[in-house]
Amino acid sequence: MFISFEGTEGVGKTTLIRKIYDYLVSLGQDVVLTREPGGTPMAENIRSLLLSVNNEEKMCNDTELLLMYAARAQHLNQVILPALAAGKTVLCDRFTDASFAYQCAGRGLSEEKLQLLNDNFVSKMPDFTFWLDAPIELGMTRARARGELDRFEQEKAAFFEKVRSGYETLSVRHAERVKRLDASQTADQVFAQALAYL
Ligand code: TMP
């Protein structure tokens, strides 16, 4: 299976993915844990470009979208598709839903632009997606506590409210695939919610 994990900053995705990874490995499954943007050396370079704060030149929204998909094309073809073809389970920290939530709902880019990219460059969608949902302020407090903020983390709460509503839209539109988890609970409780679906 191909499982993705989504949510705004600081909702505990990394902790949940790690727990699910350990759980599936303990059952004897062959599991690949990966992330977007990133997941290959080249895609990780694109990630650095996307996340770094550049006060001299603002990144255009279109550039941001295209870089996300450049990284995704590399990652999908080099890591995700070969792993699935080899019968492995892929746990991916973010995938195309993040582009809908951040670039469309958050930045305001049209769904047509995203659709064009998905239709042409994304041959495989996740079988299952966990959306970790928690109040924006809670996540932002957790993200701030981690230290220096990246280019996305520096956005205001209003931006993340739009991103969150983007995820909400997806959870309604693709109710059979995108499952909301209450991420304001403890890490163990969130894991228990996810296990019920798994
Ligand atoms: P991370 O902090 O979860 O590793 O993700 C890096 C940032 O990239 C996060 O702020 C969300 C953003 N992002 C997008 O805006 N669009 C995308 O398609 C992806 C995969 C991530």
Side-chain angles (χ1 to χ4, degrees):
M1 277 190 94
F2 175 19
I3 306 173
S4 63
F5 297 77
E6 299 284 353
T8 45
E9 331 299 297
V11 288
K13 277 185 293 106
T14 312
T15 306
L16 177 64
I17 296 174
R18 176 49 69 181
K19 278 176 179 285
I20 291 180
Y21 177 86
D22 290 343
Y23 172 73
L24 293 177
V25 168
S26 79
L27 296 181
Q29 285 207 23
D30 211 343
V31 190
V32 171
L33 199 169
T34 188
R35 70 170 180 184
E36 289 212 348
T40 82
M42 192 182 289
E44 288 289 331
N45 281 339
I46 300 174
R47 176 189 176 89
S48 302
L49 198 56
L50 278 160
L51 298 196
S52 64
V53 178
N54 182 343
N55 293 321
E56 275 142 40
E57 182 180 357
K58 184 189 177 300
M59 186 180 288
C60 304
N61 292 338
D62 284 344
T63 309
E64 185 178 280
L65 177 72
L66 292 168
L67 284 176
M68 289 294 174
Y69 274 81
R72 182 160 298 137
Q74 190 68 16
H75 183 222
L76 186 61
N77 289 297
Q78 294 290 315
V79 176
I80 298 178
L81 294 178
L84 292 174
K88 297 177 185 174
T89 293
V90 175
L91 303 180
C92 192
D93 189 339
R94 300 191 185 281
F95 198 62
T96 53
D97 295 325
S99 301
F100 176 83
Y102 283 77
Q103 279 68 55
C104 293
R107 302 286 194 218
L109 292 182
S110 72
E111 279 192 49
E112 285 71 28
K113 283 185 179 174
L114 189 80
Q115 200 57 50
L116 185 102
L117 292 165
N118 283 337
D119 288 348
N120 287 281
F121 302 108
V122 180
S123 56
K124 176 77 188 147
M125 282 296 284
D127 300 298
F128 208 76
T129 299
F130 287 116
W131 166 38
L132 285 78
D133 184 34
I136 296 303
E137 200 41 56
L138 180 71
M140 287 180 83
T141 306
R142 286 192 197 150
R144 276 189 220 109
R146 287 199 294 242
E148 214 172 296
L149 300 179
D150 67 35
R151 199 171 61 82
F152 285 96
E153 290 166 343
Q154 288 189 355
E155 290 290 340
K156 304 256 180 317
F159 173 77
F160 293 111
E161 291 293 355
K162 287 191 249 175
V163 173
R164 186 183 178 193
S165 70
Y167 280 126
E168 200 157 35
T169 301
L170 291 175
S171 74
V172 174
R173 216 184 262 181
H174 308 290
E176 71 303 334
R177 174 176 65 84
V178 182
K179 303 296 179 190
R180 178 186 176 275
L181 302 180
D182 178 359
S184 61
Q185 297 191 346
T186 65
D188 283 341
Q189 287 169 326
V190 178
F191 179 53
Q193 291 177 52
L195 269 193
Y197 283 114
L198 283 180

